[in-house]
Amino acid sequence: MTHTPGSGRAEQATRITATPWYRQLYVQVLMAIVIGIVLGWRWPDLATDMEPIGTTFITAMKMLIGPIVFLTIIGGIAGVADLRKVGRTGVKALAYFQVGTLVALLTGLVAINVVRLGDGVHADPSTLRTSGDAGQYISQGEHQHWWEFLTGIVPDSFFGPFVEGNILQVIFLAVVFGIAVKMVGKTGEPITAAVGKLTEVVFKVLSFVMKAAPLGAFGAMAYAIGKFGLSTLTSLGSLIVLFYVTSALFVVAVLGGVLALYVRLNIFQLFRYFKEEFWLILGTSTAEPALPGLMRKLRFMGAERSTVGLVVPTGYSFNLDGAAIYLSLATLYIAQATDTSLSIGEQLGLLAVMLLTSKGAAGVAGGGFIALTATLSTVGSVPAAGIMLIFGIDKFMSECRALVNFFGNAVATLVVARWENGLDLERARAVLAGKEGEPPMTAEDTPETARPAVAPSAARTAEVTP
């Protein structure tokens, strides 16, 4: 039996780098979710004490979102040869966002008109008492105008958006700063280089925080089940099921159809590719912790850095497909439950209002309820107090909203990238098929630097072989 020199060491290194299933992040998060559900079901008092674990992880992720978005957008714009390309990308993204939001709103509207779950409830709005968080959200929504998401883009100070976590304002600052850096020419080159290095450092910090993702998912899920109880699911279970089924059909049929017909990619392969982010969102009930991973993996697929850096963060405020489905479905359910008759014309008028009030709902505590109340207050025909009918189950619908928002932005970025001829389709297909290995947890993960120069097995060997 012959033995090639060094072959044993290579095989050993390859075996060492093959990550066991129990050490994979998505498996750990899934296990943490299951443990959290069991704890919340059997020992609810103890489970509610786990809230700080979940909130601390989410806070740590939010701490990094602003810097990541700011640095990524600046790096993307500064690296574009022609600034007109940035403008085209932005316009195309906003156009796609509006069309996508409208289709999502129509999907929710059709679903609740076909399955009229609110009929027969006969709730009297005058007897619905608003209190606690729900009362606060109603108050905020009643004082929120449809145009505030536009005027609120400009911050009062440079550091304010980072402190408050206002991603829309961070995007505004980053775009202005990135254009300025590009326009000063050679003077801005050291700044561009510094931005790249600082981005690398921030992503390294992110890799540290992500190690606590299973703990965060456990704490968030245990608290949710312990606080609200599984019994809450049965009280309005039919509405939850309708929302989940409608959302699933939208993602598979609408988003999957767009992805297949225009981008020529498979939505189910995309699900598998983003499995870590899927379980992370399901456990934490928010899409924000998955934003860095979404940007990193899209760039690894072959989407241009400038496109990803501009479309993904903007989509987190302007492309909320899950929130749109929820908004139209919840509005019509409340109307049906309170015996408020709405004609087809009035429902279409609601859609026009929702196109504006749905923007900016992500990243804000109670954002869905605030947008819902703002819609009802603007129209005036449906009582805002009716949101108390669905307040108890909102927590169990937030996961689905966040998941649809996430995949909506993934598809949107791929569509805009293909539209701008900024997508390496051959590489994207290879990545989704698992032929390019796993994307590295780094900032500098463009296809050129991320693609292994040798076979995947040899690349894994080189990572651990001195």
Side-chain angles (χ1 to χ4, degrees):
M1 178 177 178
T2 60
H3 178 72
T4 303
S7 61
R9 184 179 180 183
E11 292 174 2
Q12 181 182 14
T14 302
R15 287 196 300 269
I16 292 174
T17 56
T19 306
W21 65 269
Y22 56 84
R23 294 186 60 185
Q24 296 180 18
L25 181 63
Y26 80 95
V27 174
Q28 294 177 349
V29 172
L30 175 58
M31 292 171 63
I33 291 173
V34 173
I35 295 172
I37 292 174
V38 173
L39 182 65
W41 171 45
R42 300 297 298 173
W43 301 279
D45 292 337
L46 177 61
T48 54
D49 292 336
M50 300 297 108
E51 181 186 16
I53 299 177
T55 55
T56 300
F57 171 75
I58 295 174
T59 301
M61 289 298 302
K62 288 184 176 181
M63 169 188 70
L64 297 172
I65 296 299
I68 287 174
V69 170
F70 184 73
L71 295 170
T72 304
I73 291 179
I74 292 175
I77 293 177
V80 175
D82 186 2
L83 281 177
R84 287 177 296 183
K85 177 179 174 60
V86 177
R88 289 198 312 269
T89 301
V91 171
K92 290 178 179 179
L94 291 175
Y96 177 90
F97 293 163
Q98 285 299 93
V99 174
T101 301
L102 180 59
V103 173
L105 288 169
L106 284 170
T107 302
L109 202 67
V110 170
I112 195 62
N113 272 291
V114 172
V115 186
R116 300 182 61 87
L117 296 178
D119 290 350
V121 176
H122 304 302
D124 184 357
S126 62
T127 63
L128 297 175
R129 303 181 62 182
T130 59
S131 59
D133 291 338
Q136 179 184 350
Y137 299 150
I138 291 176
S139 178
Q140 287 182 253
E142 289 176 339
H143 293 87
Q144 179 172 301
H145 302 286
W146 63 266
W147 40 261
E148 285 186 358
F149 80 95
L150 291 174
T151 59
I153 292 177
V154 182
D156 296 329
S157 67
F158 183 86
F159 296 102
F162 298 93
V163 175
E164 299 169 3
N166 192 319
I167 298 301
L168 204 54
Q169 293 181 349
V170 171
I171 294 171
F172 174 81
L173 288 175
V175 170
V176 173
F177 198 87
I179 292 174
V181 170
K182 182 66 178 178
M183 292 186 69
V184 296
K186 290 186 177 181
T187 304
E189 290 180 0
I191 298 177
T192 303
V195 165
K197 294 178 180 178
L198 188 56
T199 303
E200 187 74 17
V201 174
V202 173
F203 268 83
K204 177 57 68 174
V205 175
L206 172 67
S207 68
F208 298 154
V209 175
M210 285 302 296
K211 294 182 184 298
L215 281 176
F218 161 74
M221 185 59 68
Y223 170 76
I225 301 298
K227 176 70 174 179
F228 300 101
L230 290 174
S231 60
T232 308
L233 294 172
T234 60
S235 60
L236 288 172
S238 56
L239 183 59
I240 297 175
V241 171
L242 177 62
F243 178 58
Y244 272 76
V245 171
T246 303
S247 298
L249 290 175
F250 175 83
V251 172
V252 174
V254 178
L255 296 182
V258 171
L259 192 67
L261 295 176
Y262 185 72
V263 189
R264 303 296 182 181
L265 294 177
N266 188 299
I267 189 71
F268 296 102
Q269 289 184 325
L270 199 71
F271 293 158
R272 183 177 58 194
Y273 183 57
F274 287 110
K275 58 182 179 292
E276 289 89 355
E277 288 72 23
F278 175 91
W279 291 113
L280 183 62
I281 294 171
L282 189 66
T284 59
S285 300
T286 175
E288 284 190 340
L291 185 148
L294 174 61
M295 298 174 71
R296 174 171 54 86
K297 288 188 174 183
L298 286 172
R299 290 200 299 266
F300 187 75
M301 284 179 64
E304 282 189 353
R305 176 182 294 274
S306 59
T307 302
V308 173
L310 187 62
V311 177
V312 172
T314 308
Y316 262 61
S317 289
F318 284 93
N319 187 42
L320 307 174
D321 294 334
I325 295 173
Y326 167 81
L327 200 57
S328 58
L329 192 149
T331 300
L332 266 294
Y333 174 82
I334 292 171
Q336 294 169 4
T338 56
D339 297 322
T340 303
S341 178
L342 294 175
S343 64
I344 298 297
E346 289 173 321
Q347 292 186 29
L348 294 178
L350 274 173
L351 287 184
V353 176
M354 291 177 194
L355 275 173
L356 298 173
T357 56
S358 62
K359 307 304 181 185
V364 180
F369 270 115
I370 294 172
L372 178 57
T373 307
T375 302
L376 301 182
S377 300
T378 301
V379 176
S381 55
V382 182
I387 73 169
M388 293 302 297
L389 295 171
I390 60 174
F391 182 71
I393 61 170
D394 180 73
K395 179 64 185 69
F396 298 102
M397 302 170 82
S398 60
E399 291 90 350
C400 187
R401 284 200 302 266
L403 286 169
V404 178
N405 291 343
F406 176 85
F407 283 106
N409 283 309
V411 172
T413 307
L414 293 171
V415 168
V416 175
R418 179 73 189 275
W419 197 354
E420 273 290 294
N421 296 318
L423 176 65
D424 186 342
L425 190 56
E426 182 180 350
R427 175 175 175 81
R429 289 170 177 163
V431 169
L432 292 183
K435 298 178 180 179
E436 293 287 345
E438 292 294 323
M441 180 63 76
T442 63
E444 301 300 324
D445 52 1
T446 57
E448 291 77 11
T449 59
R451 183 186 289 113
V454 291
S457 59
R460 289 195 298 269
T461 303
E463 291 176 2
V464 298
T465 305

